Amino acid sequence: MAGLAGNQNLVLTNTSSQPVALTVGNDDVGGTAFDGNISGSGSLTKVGNVTLSLDGTNSYTGGTTINAHNLNIA
């Protein structure tokens, strides 16, 4: 697991239209910001001791779980 940064779009659905579970934030280096759009039917889990900021327009429909530290949503 690693941090999530950048501005590309991310789809949480695989090529068979099945949801994908994404776990991010375990790099413990410093806060990260993701400016892209997260879409699809998958879920996002935030772990680690850094803050993750989701600054894009996110439309994914799966769950969001925060296991550690902070998740900022703009």
Side-chain angles (χ1 to χ4, degrees):
M1 289 169 279
L4 179 65
N7 61 3
Q8 298 295 314
N9 293 329
L10 180 62
V11 180
L12 299 180
T13 307
N14 68 19
T15 57
S16 299
S17 299
Q18 298 298 311
V20 173
L22 175 66
T23 301
V24 295
N26 201 27
D27 59 6
D28 293 337
V29 173
T32 57
F34 183 71
D35 295 326
N37 178 42
I38 302 174
S39 63
S41 58
S43 61
L44 178 108
T45 300
K46 163 66 181 77
V47 298
N49 295 318
V50 297
T51 298
L52 171 63
S53 296
L54 300 179
D55 297 329
T57 303
N58 299 297
S59 60
Y60 68 97
T61 58
T64 302
T65 303
I66 304 169
N67 286 343
H69 212 57
N70 297 316
L71 175 65
N72 295 332
I73 300 172

